[in-house]
């Protein structure tokens, strides 16, 4: 059937058939603003969640995933961007597609590249709170998404061995913090 007819019946499938993915890839390569990058990745998440065919279309375009990881890594400071959170969400959705995709993410270093924040040891809650309210929200959201990505990988049979490396960084969160301190800040 023609692309226009398919797009009328199913927008996501129509967009994929009309080659939206190479266009999204091109926009990511042109160093977009943070807001545009976040929106582009959000649209890609929606496409990936739509159907297995759409997920397959994204995975058939390996440069796309590499670009997402590269964009994630550009911000090496401890502050977190919302596009980084969406990047981890996208990779989590793609990893759920099948076990081999998840294993490939682990093998080619994608998993390590987007979860390095998890392994950053924070000595105390005070040092984390000093980041400021907005950065605390973003970093905690990123941490949750990274843990969810790790969970998907564990369900696929990989990354369980990473727990000893992760445990020291998680110890801060495993002990009950003083919520009075958090409320003050």
């Amino acid at each position: 059937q023609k692309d226009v007819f398919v797009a009328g019946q199913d927008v996501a499938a129509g967009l994929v058939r009309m080659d939206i993915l190479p266009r999204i890839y091109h926009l990511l390569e042109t160093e977009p603003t943070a807001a545009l990058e976040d929106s582009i990745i959000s649209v890609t998440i929606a496409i990936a969640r739509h159907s297995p065919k759409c997920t397959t279309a994204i995975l058939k375009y390996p440069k796309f995933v590499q670009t997402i990881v590269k964009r994630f890594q550009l911000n090496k400071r401890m502050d977190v961007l919302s596009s980084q959170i969406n990047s981890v969400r996208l990779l989590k959705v793609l990893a759920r597609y099948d076990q081999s995709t998840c294993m490939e993410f682990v093998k080619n270093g994608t998993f390590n590249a987007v979860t390095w924040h998890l392994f950053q040891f924070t000595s105390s809650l005070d040092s984390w709170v000093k980041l400021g309210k907005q950065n605390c929200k973003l970093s905690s959201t990123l941490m949750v998404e990274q843990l969810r990505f790790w969970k998907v990988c564990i369900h696929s049979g990989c990354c369980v061995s990473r727990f000893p490396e992760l445990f020291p960084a998680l110890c801060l969160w495993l002990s009950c913090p003083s919520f009075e301190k958090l409320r003050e800040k």
Side-chain angles (χ1 to χ4, degrees):
Q1 297 175 356
K2 293 188 178 200
D3 292 343
V4 175
F5 179 77
V6 171
Q9 301 296 315
D10 185 348
V11 175
L15 290 172
V16 169
R17 281 184 65 170
M18 289 189 255
D19 289 330
I20 192 163
L21 295 175
R23 292 179 175 111
I24 289 174
Y25 168 73
H26 175 71
L27 287 173
L28 284 172
E29 282 288 304
T30 60
E31 298 186 28
T33 63
L36 179 60
E37 181 178 355
D38 193 36
S39 297
I40 289 170
I41 296 171
S42 294
V43 167
T44 309
I45 292 169
I47 290 171
R49 285 182 175 159
H50 180 265
S51 68
K53 282 187 176 185
C54 290
T55 305
T56 302
I58 293 169
L59 291 171
K60 282 185 179 178
Y61 203 63
K63 285 186 177 182
F64 193 88
V65 173
Q66 292 168 1
T67 301
I68 295 291
V69 173
K70 185 175 98 181
R71 298 292 309 160
F72 182 94
Q73 291 177 316
L74 286 178
N75 182 26
K76 283 290 188 184
R77 300 180 316 247
M78 283 306 288
D79 57 329
V80 176
L81 303 173
S82 90
S83 62
Q84 289 177 308
I85 296 165
N86 278 334
S87 296
V88 176
R89 282 184 184 137
L90 175 62
L91 293 169
K92 178 185 69 177
V93 169
L94 295 174
R96 278 189 187 144
Y97 177 64
D98 67 0
Q99 185 176 9
S100 65
T101 301
C102 188
M103 288 184 166
E104 184 60 30
F105 285 165
V106 172
K107 223 185 294 179
N108 69 15
T110 297
F111 177 81
N112 290 340
V114 299
T115 59
W116 70 271
H117 289 90
L118 278 179
F119 299 93
Q120 299 301 309
F121 180 72
T122 304
S123 58
S124 70
L125 194 58
D126 290 332
S127 63
W128 184 73
V129 170
K130 286 178 187 176
L131 294 173
K133 185 177 181 178
Q134 188 62 27
N135 282 336
C136 285
K137 284 181 180 181
L138 288 172
S139 66
S140 62
T141 303
L142 178 63
M143 181 184 295
V144 167
E145 289 303 322
Q146 289 170 327
L147 288 170
R148 288 177 177 162
F149 183 35
W150 188 38
K151 179 183 171 184
V152 169
C153 291
I154 288 171
H155 283 293
S156 295
C158 8
C159 296
V160 175
S161 62
R162 301 296 307 266
F163 185 76
E165 299 168 40
L166 182 62
F167 185 73
L170 289 179
C171 281
L172 172 69
W173 308 109
L174 296 174
S175 60
C176 188
S178 168
F179 288 106
E180 294 305 320
K181 281 186 179 181
L182 291 175
R183 286 184 188 154
E184 291 171 8
K185 307 278 180 170

